[in-house]
């Protein structure tokens, strides 16, 4: 399992979510990140999900 990072921001740049989670691969992490954002009603906020080696998996501005 790898550790991925999920971050979301308000329009003014304030960080409103900063979580790490475990996933077996990048595809699973992308799905899990989208699910977490959806559960927290943050899909429309600026967000990003990155892999342990810095690969950008999700991004919305």
């Amino acid at each position: 399992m790898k550790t991925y990072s999920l971050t979301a921001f308000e329009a003014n740049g304030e960080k409103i979510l900063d979580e790490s989670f475990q996933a077996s691969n990048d595809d699973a992490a992308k799905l899990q990140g989208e699910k977490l954002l959806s559960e927290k009603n943050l899909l429309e906020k600026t967000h990003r999900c990155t892999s342990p080696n810095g690969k950008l998996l999700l991004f919305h501005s």
Side-chain angles (χ1 to χ4, degrees):
M1 297 289 268
K2 298 177 184 176
T3 303
Y4 293 82
S5 178
L6 183 63
T7 313
F9 303 90
E10 287 288 0
N12 65 4
E14 176 188 355
K15 193 183 296 184
I16 54 176
L17 177 71
D18 189 7
E19 289 189 14
S20 296
F21 62 92
Q22 299 280 313
S24 57
N25 59 49
D26 290 354
D27 291 333
K30 185 175 177 179
L31 291 173
Q32 190 170 343
E34 288 173 335
K35 181 180 176 193
L36 287 167
L37 289 165
S38 178
E39 289 171 354
K40 297 175 185 291
N41 294 319
L42 297 174
L43 278 173
E44 296 305 315
K45 299 288 186 179
T46 298
H47 61 263
R48 68 180 175 220
C49 180
T50 56
S51 71
N53 60 357
K55 182 177 178 184
L56 189 59
L57 304 176
L58 287 174
F59 181 78
H60 176 75
S61 61

PDB file of all heavy atoms in Angstrom, residues 3-43:
ATOM      1  N   THR A   3       0.952   5.648   0.324  1.00  0.00           N
ATOM      2  CA  THR A   3       0.271   6.760   0.976  1.00  0.00           C
ATOM      3  C   THR A   3       0.124   7.920  -0.007  1.00  0.00           C
ATOM      4  O   THR A   3       1.105   8.393  -0.576  1.00  0.00           O
ATOM      5  CB  THR A   3       1.038   7.227   2.224  1.00  0.00           C
ATOM      6  OG1 THR A   3       1.179   6.119   3.113  1.00  0.00           O
ATOM      7  CG2 THR A   3       0.308   8.351   2.929  1.00  0.00           C
ATOM      8  N   TYR A   4      -1.112   8.356  -0.202  1.00  0.00           N
ATOM      9  CA  TYR A   4      -1.453   9.448  -1.106  1.00  0.00           C
ATOM     10  C   TYR A   4      -1.921  10.654  -0.295  1.00  0.00           C
ATOM     11  O   TYR A   4      -2.398  10.510   0.825  1.00  0.00           O
ATOM     12  CB  TYR A   4      -2.549   8.992  -2.072  1.00  0.00           C
ATOM     13  CG  TYR A   4      -2.084   7.927  -3.020  1.00  0.00           C
ATOM     14  CD1 TYR A   4      -2.049   6.591  -2.633  1.00  0.00           C
ATOM     15  CD2 TYR A   4      -1.647   8.248  -4.294  1.00  0.00           C
ATOM     16  CE1 TYR A   4      -1.595   5.605  -3.493  1.00  0.00           C
ATOM     17  CE2 TYR A   4      -1.197   7.265  -5.166  1.00  0.00           C
ATOM     18  CZ  TYR A   4      -1.167   5.956  -4.753  1.00  0.00           C
ATOM     19  OH  TYR A   4      -0.710   4.980  -5.623  1.00  0.00           O
ATOM     20  N   SER A   5      -1.802  11.825  -0.888  1.00  0.00           N
ATOM     21  CA  SER A   5      -2.168  13.063  -0.205  1.00  0.00           C
ATOM     22  C   SER A   5      -3.304  13.754  -0.949  1.00  0.00           C
ATOM     23  O   SER A   5      -3.254  13.913  -2.169  1.00  0.00           O
ATOM     24  CB  SER A   5      -0.947  13.983  -0.143  1.00  0.00           C
ATOM     25  OG  SER A   5      -1.285  15.198   0.471  1.00  0.00           O
ATOM     26  N   LEU A   6      -4.317  14.164  -0.196  1.00  0.00           N
ATOM     27  CA  LEU A   6      -5.479  14.856  -0.753  1.00  0.00           C
ATOM     28  C   LEU A   6      -5.616  16.202  -0.056  1.00  0.00           C
ATOM     29  O   LEU A   6      -5.645  16.268   1.171  1.00  0.00           O
ATOM     30  CB  LEU A   6      -6.741  14.013  -0.536  1.00  0.00           C
ATOM     31  CG  LEU A   6      -8.050  14.536  -1.102  1.00  0.00           C
ATOM     32  CD1 LEU A   6      -7.990  14.627  -2.630  1.00  0.00           C
ATOM     33  CD2 LEU A   6      -9.204  13.650  -0.674  1.00  0.00           C
ATOM     34  N   THR A   7      -5.688  17.273  -0.840  1.00  0.00           N
ATOM     35  CA  THR A   7      -5.767  18.624  -0.301  1.00  0.00           C
ATOM     36  C   THR A   7      -6.847  19.396  -1.044  1.00  0.00           C
ATOM     37  O   THR A   7      -6.977  19.266  -2.253  1.00  0.00           O
ATOM     38  CB  THR A   7      -4.416  19.359  -0.479  1.00  0.00           C
ATOM     39  OG1 THR A   7      -3.363  18.505  -0.050  1.00  0.00           O
ATOM     40  CG2 THR A   7      -4.370  20.631   0.334  1.00  0.00           C
ATOM     41  N   ALA A   8      -7.613  20.206  -0.297  1.00  0.00           N
ATOM     42  CA  ALA A   8      -8.636  21.065  -0.900  1.00  0.00           C
ATOM     43  C   ALA A   8      -8.503  22.466  -0.314  1.00  0.00           C
ATOM     44  O   ALA A   8      -8.079  22.636   0.838  1.00  0.00           O
ATOM     45  CB  ALA A   8     -10.031  20.511  -0.645  1.00  0.00           C
ATOM     46  N   PHE A   9      -8.881  23.453  -1.119  1.00  0.00           N
ATOM     47  CA  PHE A   9      -8.700  24.848  -0.748  1.00  0.00           C
ATOM     48  C   PHE A   9      -9.954  25.665  -1.036  1.00  0.00           C
ATOM     49  O   PHE A   9     -10.690  25.370  -1.971  1.00  0.00           O
ATOM     50  CB  PHE A   9      -7.563  25.478  -1.573  1.00  0.00           C
ATOM     51  CG  PHE A   9      -6.254  24.779  -1.441  1.00  0.00           C
ATOM     52  CD1 PHE A   9      -5.928  23.750  -2.303  1.00  0.00           C
ATOM     53  CD2 PHE A   9      -5.345  25.137  -0.463  1.00  0.00           C
ATOM     54  CE1 PHE A   9      -4.712  23.092  -2.199  1.00  0.00           C
ATOM     55  CE2 PHE A   9      -4.134  24.487  -0.353  1.00  0.00           C
ATOM     56  CZ  PHE A   9      -3.807  23.462  -1.218  1.00  0.00           C
ATOM     57  N   GLU A  10     -10.144  26.732  -0.249  1.00  0.00           N
ATOM     58  CA  GLU A  10     -11.153  27.743  -0.549  1.00  0.00           C
ATOM     59  C   GLU A  10     -10.596  28.630  -1.659  1.00  0.00           C
ATOM     60  O   GLU A  10      -9.402  28.596  -1.945  1.00  0.00           O
ATOM     61  CB  GLU A  10     -11.451  28.596   0.691  1.00  0.00           C
ATOM     62  CG  GLU A  10     -12.248  27.889   1.762  1.00  0.00           C
ATOM     63  CD  GLU A  10     -13.708  27.664   1.385  1.00  0.00           C
ATOM     64  OE1 GLU A  10     -14.144  28.060   0.277  1.00  0.00           O
ATOM     65  OE2 GLU A  10     -14.412  27.059   2.199  1.00  0.00           O
ATOM     66  N   ALA A  11     -11.444  29.455  -2.242  1.00  0.00           N
ATOM     67  CA  ALA A  11     -11.024  30.344  -3.325  1.00  0.00           C
ATOM     68  C   ALA A  11      -9.940  31.329  -2.878  1.00  0.00           C
ATOM     69  O   ALA A  11      -9.105  31.742  -3.668  1.00  0.00           O
ATOM     70  CB  ALA A  11     -12.226  31.109  -3.864  1.00  0.00           C
ATOM     71  N   ASN A  12      -9.927  31.671  -1.588  1.00  0.00           N
ATOM     72  CA  ASN A  12      -8.925  32.611  -1.067  1.00  0.00           C
ATOM     73  C   ASN A  12      -7.597  31.928  -0.721  1.00  0.00           C
ATOM     74  O   ASN A  12      -6.687  32.568  -0.207  1.00  0.00           O
ATOM     75  CB  ASN A  12      -9.464  33.361   0.146  1.00  0.00           C
ATOM     76  CG  ASN A  12      -9.728  32.460   1.343  1.00  0.00           C
ATOM     77  OD1 ASN A  12      -9.449  31.265   1.315  1.00  0.00           O
ATOM     78  ND2 ASN A  12     -10.275  33.033   2.388  1.00  0.00           N
ATOM     79  N   GLY A  13      -7.493  30.632  -0.974  1.00  0.00           N
ATOM     80  CA  GLY A  13      -6.261  29.891  -0.717  1.00  0.00           C
ATOM     81  C   GLY A  13      -6.218  29.178   0.624  1.00  0.00           C
ATOM     82  O   GLY A  13      -5.276  28.440   0.902  1.00  0.00           O
ATOM     83  N   GLU A  14      -7.239  29.371   1.459  1.00  0.00           N
ATOM     84  CA  GLU A  14      -7.278  28.709   2.763  1.00  0.00           C
ATOM     85  C   GLU A  14      -7.418  27.196   2.579  1.00  0.00           C
ATOM     86  O   GLU A  14      -8.295  26.727   1.846  1.00  0.00           O
ATOM     87  CB  GLU A  14      -8.455  29.236   3.574  1.00  0.00           C
ATOM     88  CG  GLU A  14      -8.637  28.545   4.914  1.00  0.00           C
ATOM     89  CD  GLU A  14      -9.926  28.950   5.614  1.00  0.00           C
ATOM     90  OE1 GLU A  14     -10.638  29.844   5.113  1.00  0.00           O
ATOM     91  OE2 GLU A  14     -10.230  28.354   6.639  1.00  0.00           O
ATOM     92  N   LYS A  15      -6.555  26.450   3.245  1.00  0.00           N
ATOM     93  CA  LYS A  15      -6.610  24.990   3.166  1.00  0.00           C
ATOM     94  C   LYS A  15      -7.771  24.487   4.016  1.00  0.00           C
ATOM     95  O   LYS A  15      -7.861  24.801   5.201  1.00  0.00           O
ATOM     96  CB  LYS A  15      -5.301  24.391   3.668  1.00  0.00           C
ATOM     97  CG  LYS A  15      -5.137  22.931   3.351  1.00  0.00           C
ATOM     98  CD  LYS A  15      -3.856  22.341   3.912  1.00  0.00           C
ATOM     99  CE  LYS A  15      -2.630  22.966   3.310  1.00  0.00           C
ATOM    100  NZ  LYS A  15      -1.393  22.321   3.777  1.00  0.00           N
ATOM    101  N   ILE A  16      -8.687  23.738   3.413  1.00  0.00           N
ATOM    102  CA  ILE A  16      -9.851  23.233   4.137  1.00  0.00           C
ATOM    103  C   ILE A  16      -9.834  21.714   4.294  1.00  0.00           C
ATOM    104  O   ILE A  16     -10.640  21.154   5.022  1.00  0.00           O
ATOM    105  CB  ILE A  16     -11.173  23.685   3.477  1.00  0.00           C
ATOM    106  CG1 ILE A  16     -11.211  23.317   1.996  1.00  0.00           C
ATOM    107  CG2 ILE A  16     -11.380  25.174   3.675  1.00  0.00           C
ATOM    108  CD1 ILE A  16     -12.511  23.640   1.287  1.00  0.00           C
ATOM    109  N   LEU A  17      -8.896  21.058   3.616  1.00  0.00           N
ATOM    110  CA  LEU A  17      -8.738  19.613   3.754  1.00  0.00           C
ATOM    111  C   LEU A  17      -7.289  19.268   3.479  1.00  0.00           C
ATOM    112  O   LEU A  17      -6.702  19.744   2.509  1.00  0.00           O
ATOM    113  CB  LEU A  17      -9.636  18.873   2.753  1.00  0.00           C
ATOM    114  CG  LEU A  17      -9.525  17.343   2.742  1.00  0.00           C
ATOM    115  CD1 LEU A  17     -10.137  16.758   4.012  1.00  0.00           C
ATOM    116  CD2 LEU A  17     -10.194  16.759   1.521  1.00  0.00           C
ATOM    117  N   ASP A  18      -6.713  18.461   4.344  1.00  0.00           N
ATOM    118  CA  ASP A  18      -5.347  17.984   4.158  1.00  0.00           C
ATOM    119  C   ASP A  18      -5.287  16.597   4.794  1.00  0.00           C
ATOM    120  O   ASP A  18      -5.089  16.472   5.998  1.00  0.00           O
ATOM    121  CB  ASP A  18      -4.353  18.938   4.819  1.00  0.00           C
ATOM    122  CG  ASP A  18      -2.910  18.610   4.468  1.00  0.00           C
ATOM    123  OD1 ASP A  18      -2.684  17.725   3.616  1.00  0.00           O
ATOM    124  OD2 ASP A  18      -2.018  19.240   5.043  1.00  0.00           O
ATOM    125  N   GLU A  19      -5.523  15.584   3.966  1.00  0.00           N
ATOM    126  CA  GLU A  19      -5.593  14.207   4.457  1.00  0.00           C
ATOM    127  C   GLU A  19      -4.660  13.301   3.667  1.00  0.00           C
ATOM    128  O   GLU A  19      -4.424  13.520   2.485  1.00  0.00           O
ATOM    129  CB  GLU A  19      -7.008  13.649   4.330  1.00  0.00           C
ATOM    130  CG  GLU A  19      -7.996  14.237   5.274  1.00  0.00           C
ATOM    131  CD  GLU A  19      -9.334  13.507   5.251  1.00  0.00           C
ATOM    132  OE1 GLU A  19      -9.408  12.384   4.698  1.00  0.00           O
ATOM    133  OE2 GLU A  19     -10.289  14.067   5.783  1.00  0.00           O
ATOM    134  N   SER A  20      -4.178  12.295   4.339  1.00  0.00           N
ATOM    135  CA  SER A  20      -3.429  11.226   3.691  1.00  0.00           C
ATOM    136  C   SER A  20      -4.265   9.962   3.774  1.00  0.00           C
ATOM    137  O   SER A  20      -5.018   9.772   4.731  1.00  0.00           O
ATOM    138  CB  SER A  20      -2.094  11.005   4.401  1.00  0.00           C
ATOM    139  OG  SER A  20      -1.287  12.142   4.274  1.00  0.00           O
ATOM    140  N   PHE A  21      -4.136   9.115   2.760  1.00  0.00           N
ATOM    141  CA  PHE A  21      -4.854   7.845   2.777  1.00  0.00           C
ATOM    142  C   PHE A  21      -4.033   6.796   2.041  1.00  0.00           C
ATOM    143  O   PHE A  21      -3.129   7.122   1.278  1.00  0.00           O
ATOM    144  CB  PHE A  21      -6.260   7.990   2.170  1.00  0.00           C
ATOM    145  CG  PHE A  21      -6.272   8.409   0.725  1.00  0.00           C
ATOM    146  CD1 PHE A  21      -6.295   7.454  -0.284  1.00  0.00           C
ATOM    147  CD2 PHE A  21      -6.268   9.748   0.370  1.00  0.00           C
ATOM    148  CE1 PHE A  21      -6.305   7.832  -1.620  1.00  0.00           C
ATOM    149  CE2 PHE A  21      -6.287  10.137  -0.963  1.00  0.00           C
ATOM    150  CZ  PHE A  21      -6.303   9.178  -1.958  1.00  0.00           C
ATOM    151  N   GLN A  22      -4.354   5.554   2.273  1.00  0.00           N
ATOM    152  CA  GLN A  22      -3.642   4.422   1.680  1.00  0.00           C
ATOM    153  C   GLN A  22      -4.431   3.864   0.492  1.00  0.00           C
ATOM    154  O   GLN A  22      -5.651   3.763   0.548  1.00  0.00           O
ATOM    155  CB  GLN A  22      -3.481   3.307   2.712  1.00  0.00           C
ATOM    156  CG  GLN A  22      -2.681   3.685   3.938  1.00  0.00           C
ATOM    157  CD  GLN A  22      -1.197   3.624   3.681  1.00  0.00           C
ATOM    158  OE1 GLN A  22      -0.705   2.661   3.116  1.00  0.00           O
ATOM    159  NE2 GLN A  22      -0.491   4.666   4.083  1.00  0.00           N
ATOM    160  N   ALA A  23      -3.700   3.509  -0.560  1.00  0.00           N
ATOM    161  CA  ALA A  23      -4.303   2.847  -1.716  1.00  0.00           C
ATOM    162  C   ALA A  23      -3.256   1.933  -2.348  1.00  0.00           C
ATOM    163  O   ALA A  23      -2.055   2.152  -2.187  1.00  0.00           O
ATOM    164  CB  ALA A  23      -4.809   3.869  -2.722  1.00  0.00           C
ATOM    165  N   SER A  24      -3.726   0.936  -3.058  1.00  0.00           N
ATOM    166  CA  SER A  24      -2.812  -0.045  -3.642  1.00  0.00           C
ATOM    167  C   SER A  24      -2.118   0.462  -4.899  1.00  0.00           C
ATOM    168  O   SER A  24      -1.014   0.022  -5.223  1.00  0.00           O
ATOM    169  CB  SER A  24      -3.551  -1.343  -3.940  1.00  0.00           C
ATOM    170  OG  SER A  24      -4.652  -1.084  -4.791  1.00  0.00           O
ATOM    171  N   ASN A  25      -2.782   1.390  -5.632  1.00  0.00           N
ATOM    172  CA  ASN A  25      -2.183   1.927  -6.858  1.00  0.00           C
ATOM    173  C   ASN A  25      -2.814   3.280  -7.193  1.00  0.00           C
ATOM    174  O   ASN A  25      -3.754   3.712  -6.521  1.00  0.00           O
ATOM    175  CB  ASN A  25      -2.328   0.945  -8.024  1.00  0.00           C
ATOM    176  CG  ASN A  25      -3.765   0.610  -8.331  1.00  0.00           C
ATOM    177  OD1 ASN A  25      -4.610   1.487  -8.466  1.00  0.00           O
ATOM    178  ND2 ASN A  25      -4.062  -0.675  -8.438  1.00  0.00           N
ATOM    179  N   ASP A  26      -2.308   3.931  -8.230  1.00  0.00           N
ATOM    180  CA  ASP A  26      -2.776   5.269  -8.584  1.00  0.00           C
ATOM    181  C   ASP A  26      -4.250   5.295  -8.987  1.00  0.00           C
ATOM    182  O   ASP A  26      -4.972   6.223  -8.627  1.00  0.00           O
ATOM    183  CB  ASP A  26      -1.925   5.845  -9.724  1.00  0.00           C
ATOM    184  CG  ASP A  26      -0.514   6.185  -9.296  1.00  0.00           C
ATOM    185  OD1 ASP A  26      -0.192   6.093  -8.087  1.00  0.00           O
ATOM    186  OD2 ASP A  26       0.286   6.554 -10.176  1.00  0.00           O
ATOM    187  N   ASP A  27      -4.705   4.286  -9.714  1.00  0.00           N
ATOM    188  CA  ASP A  27      -6.108   4.259 -10.128  1.00  0.00           C
ATOM    189  C   ASP A  27      -7.036   4.137  -8.924  1.00  0.00           C
ATOM    190  O   ASP A  27      -8.062   4.823  -8.841  1.00  0.00           O
ATOM    191  CB  ASP A  27      -6.364   3.104 -11.100  1.00  0.00           C
ATOM    192  CG  ASP A  27      -5.698   3.331 -12.451  1.00  0.00           C
ATOM    193  OD1 ASP A  27      -5.502   4.505 -12.834  1.00  0.00           O
ATOM    194  OD2 ASP A  27      -5.366   2.333 -13.111  1.00  0.00           O
ATOM    195  N   ALA A  28      -6.686   3.270  -7.985  1.00  0.00           N
ATOM    196  CA  ALA A  28      -7.485   3.109  -6.769  1.00  0.00           C
ATOM    197  C   ALA A  28      -7.458   4.391  -5.947  1.00  0.00           C
ATOM    198  O   ALA A  28      -8.470   4.791  -5.362  1.00  0.00           O
ATOM    199  CB  ALA A  28      -6.965   1.931  -5.944  1.00  0.00           C
ATOM    200  N   ALA A  29      -6.316   5.066  -5.901  1.00  0.00           N
ATOM    201  CA  ALA A  29      -6.188   6.313  -5.150  1.00  0.00           C
ATOM    202  C   ALA A  29      -7.061   7.401  -5.760  1.00  0.00           C
ATOM    203  O   ALA A  29      -7.688   8.184  -5.037  1.00  0.00           O
ATOM    204  CB  ALA A  29      -4.732   6.755  -5.108  1.00  0.00           C
ATOM    205  N   LYS A  30      -7.101   7.471  -7.076  1.00  0.00           N
ATOM    206  CA  LYS A  30      -7.932   8.470  -7.748  1.00  0.00           C
ATOM    207  C   LYS A  30      -9.402   8.272  -7.386  1.00  0.00           C
ATOM    208  O   LYS A  30     -10.098   9.223  -7.034  1.00  0.00           O
ATOM    209  CB  LYS A  30      -7.727   8.381  -9.256  1.00  0.00           C
ATOM    210  CG  LYS A  30      -8.447   9.452 -10.022  1.00  0.00           C
ATOM    211  CD  LYS A  30      -8.111   9.388 -11.495  1.00  0.00           C
ATOM    212  CE  LYS A  30      -8.892  10.429 -12.265  1.00  0.00           C
ATOM    213  NZ  LYS A  30      -8.591  10.432 -13.681  1.00  0.00           N
ATOM    214  N   LEU A  31      -9.860   7.033  -7.428  1.00  0.00           N
ATOM    215  CA  LEU A  31     -11.248   6.740  -7.074  1.00  0.00           C
ATOM    216  C   LEU A  31     -11.523   7.053  -5.604  1.00  0.00           C
ATOM    217  O   LEU A  31     -12.558   7.638  -5.261  1.00  0.00           O
ATOM    218  CB  LEU A  31     -11.566   5.268  -7.361  1.00  0.00           C
ATOM    219  CG  LEU A  31     -11.617   4.875  -8.831  1.00  0.00           C
ATOM    220  CD1 LEU A  31     -11.761   3.365  -8.964  1.00  0.00           C
ATOM    221  CD2 LEU A  31     -12.751   5.590  -9.538  1.00  0.00           C
ATOM    222  N   GLN A  32     -10.607   6.684  -4.737  1.00  0.00           N
ATOM    223  CA  GLN A  32     -10.784   6.925  -3.306  1.00  0.00           C
ATOM    224  C   GLN A  32     -10.759   8.432  -3.012  1.00  0.00           C
ATOM    225  O   GLN A  32     -11.542   8.915  -2.197  1.00  0.00           O
ATOM    226  CB  GLN A  32      -9.696   6.209  -2.505  1.00  0.00           C
ATOM    227  CG  GLN A  32      -9.954   6.208  -1.017  1.00  0.00           C
ATOM    228  CD  GLN A  32      -9.005   5.300  -0.273  1.00  0.00           C
ATOM    229  OE1 GLN A  32      -8.362   4.433  -0.859  1.00  0.00           O
ATOM    230  NE2 GLN A  32      -8.917   5.487   1.023  1.00  0.00           N
ATOM    231  N   GLY A  33      -9.888   9.167  -3.683  1.00  0.00           N
ATOM    232  CA  GLY A  33      -9.837  10.615  -3.507  1.00  0.00           C
ATOM    233  C   GLY A  33     -11.130  11.279  -3.935  1.00  0.00           C
ATOM    234  O   GLY A  33     -11.658  12.143  -3.230  1.00  0.00           O
ATOM    235  N   GLU A  34     -11.671  10.871  -5.076  1.00  0.00           N
ATOM    236  CA  GLU A  34     -12.945  11.416  -5.549  1.00  0.00           C
ATOM    237  C   GLU A  34     -14.069  11.095  -4.569  1.00  0.00           C
ATOM    238  O   GLU A  34     -14.936  11.929  -4.310  1.00  0.00           O
ATOM    239  CB  GLU A  34     -13.278  10.876  -6.934  1.00  0.00           C
ATOM    240  CG  GLU A  34     -12.409  11.445  -8.026  1.00  0.00           C
ATOM    241  CD  GLU A  34     -12.615  10.790  -9.372  1.00  0.00           C
ATOM    242  OE1 GLU A  34     -13.061   9.615  -9.422  1.00  0.00           O
ATOM    243  OE2 GLU A  34     -12.315  11.453 -10.387  1.00  0.00           O
ATOM    244  N   LYS A  35     -14.053   9.903  -4.010  1.00  0.00           N
ATOM    245  CA  LYS A  35     -15.071   9.505  -3.045  1.00  0.00           C
ATOM    246  C   LYS A  35     -14.984  10.363  -1.782  1.00  0.00           C
ATOM    247  O   LYS A  35     -16.001  10.841  -1.271  1.00  0.00           O
ATOM    248  CB  LYS A  35     -14.912   8.024  -2.685  1.00  0.00           C
ATOM    249  CG  LYS A  35     -15.948   7.517  -1.715  1.00  0.00           C
ATOM    250  CD  LYS A  35     -15.742   6.058  -1.389  1.00  0.00           C
ATOM    251  CE  LYS A  35     -16.744   5.630  -0.332  1.00  0.00           C
ATOM    252  NZ  LYS A  35     -16.423   4.351   0.257  1.00  0.00           N
ATOM    253  N   LEU A  36     -13.771  10.562  -1.269  1.00  0.00           N
ATOM    254  CA  LEU A  36     -13.588  11.394  -0.072  1.00  0.00           C
ATOM    255  C   LEU A  36     -14.064  12.826  -0.326  1.00  0.00           C
ATOM    256  O   LEU A  36     -14.746  13.418   0.523  1.00  0.00           O
ATOM    257  CB  LEU A  36     -12.126  11.399   0.360  1.00  0.00           C
ATOM    258  CG  LEU A  36     -11.603  10.122   1.004  1.00  0.00           C
ATOM    259  CD1 LEU A  36     -10.080  10.151   1.096  1.00  0.00           C
ATOM    260  CD2 LEU A  36     -12.210   9.950   2.388  1.00  0.00           C
ATOM    261  N   LEU A  37     -13.708  13.378  -1.471  1.00  0.00           N
ATOM    262  CA  LEU A  37     -14.138  14.736  -1.793  1.00  0.00           C
ATOM    263  C   LEU A  37     -15.658  14.820  -1.903  1.00  0.00           C
ATOM    264  O   LEU A  37     -16.276  15.770  -1.426  1.00  0.00           O
ATOM    265  CB  LEU A  37     -13.499  15.193  -3.102  1.00  0.00           C
ATOM    266  CG  LEU A  37     -11.993  15.472  -3.038  1.00  0.00           C
ATOM    267  CD1 LEU A  37     -11.418  15.560  -4.439  1.00  0.00           C
ATOM    268  CD2 LEU A  37     -11.716  16.742  -2.255  1.00  0.00           C
ATOM    269  N   SER A  38     -16.267  13.827  -2.519  1.00  0.00           N
ATOM    270  CA  SER A  38     -17.713  13.796  -2.666  1.00  0.00           C
ATOM    271  C   SER A  38     -18.400  13.717  -1.299  1.00  0.00           C
ATOM    272  O   SER A  38     -19.364  14.448  -1.034  1.00  0.00           O
ATOM    273  CB  SER A  38     -18.128  12.612  -3.532  1.00  0.00           C
ATOM    274  OG  SER A  38     -19.526  12.552  -3.648  1.00  0.00           O
ATOM    275  N   GLU A  39     -17.904  12.855  -0.424  1.00  0.00           N
ATOM    276  CA  GLU A  39     -18.479  12.696   0.915  1.00  0.00           C
ATOM    277  C   GLU A  39     -18.413  13.995   1.712  1.00  0.00           C
ATOM    278  O   GLU A  39     -19.283  14.268   2.531  1.00  0.00           O
ATOM    279  CB  GLU A  39     -17.752  11.597   1.687  1.00  0.00           C
ATOM    280  CG  GLU A  39     -18.037  10.211   1.174  1.00  0.00           C
ATOM    281  CD  GLU A  39     -17.150   9.151   1.813  1.00  0.00           C
ATOM    282  OE1 GLU A  39     -16.226   9.496   2.582  1.00  0.00           O
ATOM    283  OE2 GLU A  39     -17.387   7.957   1.532  1.00  0.00           O
ATOM    284  N   LYS A  40     -17.388  14.793   1.479  1.00  0.00           N
ATOM    285  CA  LYS A  40     -17.195  16.040   2.210  1.00  0.00           C
ATOM    286  C   LYS A  40     -17.714  17.257   1.436  1.00  0.00           C
ATOM    287  O   LYS A  40     -17.496  18.398   1.838  1.00  0.00           O
ATOM    288  CB  LYS A  40     -15.720  16.223   2.550  1.00  0.00           C
ATOM    289  CG  LYS A  40     -15.189  15.133   3.473  1.00  0.00           C
ATOM    290  CD  LYS A  40     -13.698  15.268   3.704  1.00  0.00           C
ATOM    291  CE  LYS A  40     -13.147  14.132   4.517  1.00  0.00           C
ATOM    292  NZ  LYS A  40     -13.575  14.116   5.893  1.00  0.00           N
ATOM    293  N   ASN A  41     -18.421  17.005   0.312  1.00  0.00           N
ATOM    294  CA  ASN A  41     -18.972  18.065  -0.540  1.00  0.00           C
ATOM    295  C   ASN A  41     -17.902  19.059  -0.983  1.00  0.00           C
ATOM    296  O   ASN A  41     -18.109  20.274  -0.961  1.00  0.00           O
ATOM    297  CB  ASN A  41     -20.117  18.788   0.175  1.00  0.00           C
ATOM    298  CG  ASN A  41     -21.299  17.894   0.411  1.00  0.00           C
ATOM    299  OD1 ASN A  41     -21.676  17.105  -0.453  1.00  0.00           O
ATOM    300  ND2 ASN A  41     -21.881  17.978   1.590  1.00  0.00           N
ATOM    301  N   LEU A  42     -16.746  18.543  -1.401  1.00  0.00           N
ATOM    302  CA  LEU A  42     -15.632  19.391  -1.809  1.00  0.00           C
ATOM    303  C   LEU A  42     -15.245  19.204  -3.283  1.00  0.00           C
ATOM    304  O   LEU A  42     -14.226  19.735  -3.720  1.00  0.00           O
ATOM    305  CB  LEU A  42     -14.412  19.121  -0.923  1.00  0.00           C
ATOM    306  CG  LEU A  42     -14.574  19.442   0.558  1.00  0.00           C
ATOM    307  CD1 LEU A  42     -13.346  18.996   1.340  1.00  0.00           C
ATOM    308  CD2 LEU A  42     -14.833  20.921   0.756  1.00  0.00           C
ATOM    309  N   LEU A  43     -16.037  18.490  -4.051  1.00  0.00           N
ATOM    310  CA  LEU A  43     -15.694  18.237  -5.453  1.00  0.00           C
ATOM    311  C   LEU A  43     -15.586  19.517  -6.278  1.00  0.00           C
ATOM    312  O   LEU A  43     -14.804  19.578  -7.228  1.00  0.00           O
ATOM    313  CB  LEU A  43     -16.703  17.294  -6.104  1.00  0.00           C
ATOM    314  CG  LEU A  43     -16.494  15.814  -5.847  1.00  0.00           C
ATOM    315  CD1 LEU A  43     -17.663  15.010  -6.399  1.00  0.00           C
ATOM    316  CD2 LEU A  43     -15.190  15.333  -6.432  1.00  0.00           C
TER     317      LEU A  43
END
